[in-house]
Amino acid sequence: MTRTNWAGNLTYQARDLHRAADIAQVQEIVAGARKLRVLGSRHSFSAIADCSDAQLSLEQMNRVIALDAGASRVRVEGGIRYGDLAPALQARGLALANLASLPHISVVGAAATATHGSGSETGNLATAVTAMDIVNASGDVVRLSREADGDSFAGAAVGLGALGPVVGLTLEVEPTYDVRQTVYAGLSHDVLATEFEAIFASAKSVSVFTDWRGPDANALWRKERVTSDTPAPLSEAFGATAARHAMHPLPGGAAGDCTEQLGRAGPWHERLPHFRMEFTPSNGAEIQAEFFVPREEAARAIAALRPHGERLAPILMISEIRTIAGDDLWLSPAHRGPQVAFHFTFHRDWEAIRAVLPAIEASLAPFGALPHWGKVTTMAPDRIARHFPRLEAFRDLARSFDPEGKFRNDFLDRMVFGTA
Ligand SMILES: Cc1cc2nc3c(=O)[nH]c(=O)nc-3n(C[C@H](O)[C@H](O)[C@H](O)COP(=O)(O)OP(=O)(O)OC[C@H]3O[C@@H](n4cnc5c(N)ncnc54)[C@H](O)[C@@H]3O)c2cc1C
């Protein structure tokens, strides 16, 4: 039976799909495997999770193992999704610092590719990880923690699945908080460029959606952290006007699929993602690309992208602009400092996308653009490698877990090891 990723743009080559319900089963499967890649919730558009031989799903390992509110830590199994974890945290009065656009993705899969939400002061989702239990190629469980293993932990956190199955993960949590979400229409592209920092610092999490055409962006989404005495939401922000009805990021999309807007406060996990957990898209019929640029280049990068609007129109559903705080994780694009991310949701037409991506990448190249590990790119691996000074150290770390390359696939050989 053929199996595909969530969006259906990729048919997995792996012949076998193993399933494990506990650590002992993972160890047994690893011991018997020739080549093996762990499959998360299949949301990557790149071939990062594919394998020439076998994949392993930890879907059944989806429990919260331990919650220590005093230490601000939660320990989870390696297959849990944010949509399962977040309500469990909320029920105990706890929260995560941020979430991505949808709650359906797995926590380990998100960390493995430096998946992010938006927030000028908030790191990507891997920055919440404080410890990982990894089954190495010999089948032994190795624990790495931020406290005990500093440097190699910083290498493993955005691990691209190269070190072996992550069977347990510890995350930093904080007391729960409320967020309200307001969407504004009529933000001009000129104001976006000139007031970029102020716009993105104006709320906990800010997204700008645009098709790059015309004088105005499509929408400004502000997700503000609130308490009971926070004043009412602004009816105007940066020259844009608060919408009177709920909106979808895609023009004409069903707003009912989105988390609550109109400035109504609610728990963090029901506002930070754009989409509701109950809304499960049957099929994405889309392909995503995303490029990270150091934040000080935001205005120049926006100016470089605007001329692409008309050419992109036939294949672009929407672009989203977000910010991410700097971090110290070797394979995170934000190891260079604060980033702005330019995201593109395209119709699922790879040939048409392949024809326009090089031009977008060339326009962003002067600013040191890096692609998202889980999305598509036509950038040459050596150009990407140049921006990761700890890449050789990462290769050594991966070899120490997996000397024979059991967990390597074509994607890693090409993008990380430079051997394909
Ligand atoms: C509709 C949609 C919306 C998205 N929104 C965002 C967004 O807001 N922000 C953003 O940054 N990205 C976003 N993405 C991209 C997505 O978050 C990443 O591709 C992410 O890696 C997907 O996680 P996954 O669990 O589906 O992992 P998969 O795609 O299945 O795998 C990704 C990587 O994680 C590894 N992996 C997974 N689980 C384990 C494990 N237990 N042990 C070891 N390795 C493991 C895999 O081997 C692989 O290398 C979106 C994607 C889609 C389809």
Side-chain angles (χ1 to χ4, degrees):
M1 194 185 86
T2 59
R3 291 179 297 106
T4 69
N5 64 346
W6 173 85
N9 68 301
L10 188 77
T11 299
Y12 293 127
Q13 302 300 307
R15 276 192 319 274
D16 300 321
L17 175 65
H18 301 291
R19 295 176 193 280
D22 57 34
I23 295 177
Q25 287 182 11
V26 174
Q27 291 174 300
E28 196 180 311
I29 290 163
V30 166
R34 199 179 62 80
K35 286 272 184 192
L36 186 73
R37 293 289 292 170
V38 181
L39 193 57
S41 53
R42 302 181 296 115
H43 282 83
S44 291
F45 297 85
S46 68
I48 189 168
D50 202 3
C51 185
S52 57
D53 201 354
Q55 289 169 312
L56 167 63
S57 169
L58 306 186
E59 219 170 28
Q60 296 166 46
M61 296 176 64
N62 61 358
R63 287 178 317 128
V64 172
I65 302 168
L67 226 168
D68 185 343
S72 302
R73 295 285 190 270
V74 62
R75 217 152 80 74
V76 296
E77 290 186 314
I80 199 168
R81 298 178 304 164
Y82 286 97
D84 305 316
L85 171 60
L89 290 177
Q90 174 66 14
R92 295 283 300 271
L94 296 168
L96 295 167
N98 212 351
L99 290 170
S101 65
L102 81 177
H104 308 76
I105 48 177
S106 84
V107 176
V108 177
T113 62
T115 285
H116 59 94
S118 192
S120 290
E121 299 294 324
T122 319
N124 68 46
L125 301 182
T127 62
V129 179
T130 63
M132 310 164 79
D133 292 331
I134 306 171
V135 176
N136 68 16
S138 318
D140 301 321
V141 179
V142 179
R143 170 163 295 189
L144 289 179
S145 77
R146 196 192 279 171
E147 285 82 10
D149 303 287
D151 202 36
S152 40
F153 176 80
V158 179
L160 313 182
L163 277 55
V166 175
V167 289
L169 199 69
T170 308
L171 297 165
E172 205 158 31
V173 292
E174 57 186 275
T176 185
Y177 52 86
D178 279 350
V179 173
R180 72 182 179 204
Q181 176 168 225
T182 314
V183 175
Y184 297 80
L187 175 71
S188 95
H189 282 126
D190 290 342
V191 171
L192 172 65
T194 53
E195 297 197 41
F196 187 88
E197 281 298 337
I199 291 170
F200 279 85
S202 74
K204 173 177 171 62
S205 174
V206 174
S207 291
V208 170
F209 290 93
T210 181
D211 60 12
W212 301 105
R213 291 192 293 167
D216 293 345
N218 298 49
L220 162 66
W221 288 42
R222 295 174 66 242
K223 299 172 193 259
E224 300 171 280
R225 200 171 159 147
V226 292
T227 58
S228 54
D229 52 6
T230 306
L234 298 171
S235 57
E236 256 198 36
F238 304 97
T241 309
R244 289 174 193 276
H245 54 88
M247 313 269 282
H248 189 280
L250 295 176
D257 299 342
C258 296
T259 49
E260 186 144 359
Q261 304 167 18
L262 304 174
R264 295 187 191 124
W268 59 283
H269 66 298
E270 294 177 1
R271 298 294 183 278
L272 289 175
H274 302 325
F275 301 106
R276 295 176 195 265
M277 183 66 180
E278 315 84 83
F279 159 68
T280 308
S282 57
N283 183 330
E286 66 187 57
I287 295 181
Q288 300 182 4
E290 189 167 32
F291 302 96
F292 301 89
V293 166
R295 209 180 303 156
E296 65 270 17
E297 302 286 10
R300 293 203 304 143
I302 288 167
L305 287 172
R306 283 186 66 184
H308 291 280
E310 293 306 324
R311 187 169 173 214
L312 290 179
I315 56 166
L316 182 67
M317 291 193 207
I318 200 72
S319 259
E320 181 177 7
I321 306 171
R322 291 177 280 186
T323 53
I324 305 109
D327 60 50
D328 64 349
L329 308 179
W330 298 356
L331 294 194
S332 159
H335 74 271
R336 311 177 285 181
Q339 301 292 294
V340 50
F342 295 101
H343 161 94
F344 301 81
T345 301
F346 295 110
H347 294 287
R348 201 179 56 198
D349 179 350
W350 173 236
E351 289 311 315
I353 295 167
R354 194 160 61 173
V356 299
L357 263 192
I360 294 173
E361 291 164 345
S363 292
L364 292 176
F367 316 116
L370 279 174
H372 191 302
W373 292 112
K375 303 189 182 182
V376 297
T377 183
T378 63
M379 280 174 71
D382 61 327
R383 277 183 46 208
I384 297 168
R386 230 181 277 157
H387 295 284
F388 287 107
R390 303 299 304 274
L391 195 62
E392 191 49 48
F394 179 80
R395 291 173 184 144
D396 288 342
L397 179 67
R399 286 187 199 107
S400 73
F401 276 73
D402 178 25
E404 309 291 329
K406 190 179 270 194
F407 304 129
R408 299 245 301 254
N409 62 0
D410 287 350
F411 179 93
L412 288 180
D413 285 343
R414 199 160 40 82
M415 303 297 271
V416 174
F417 289 90
T419 54

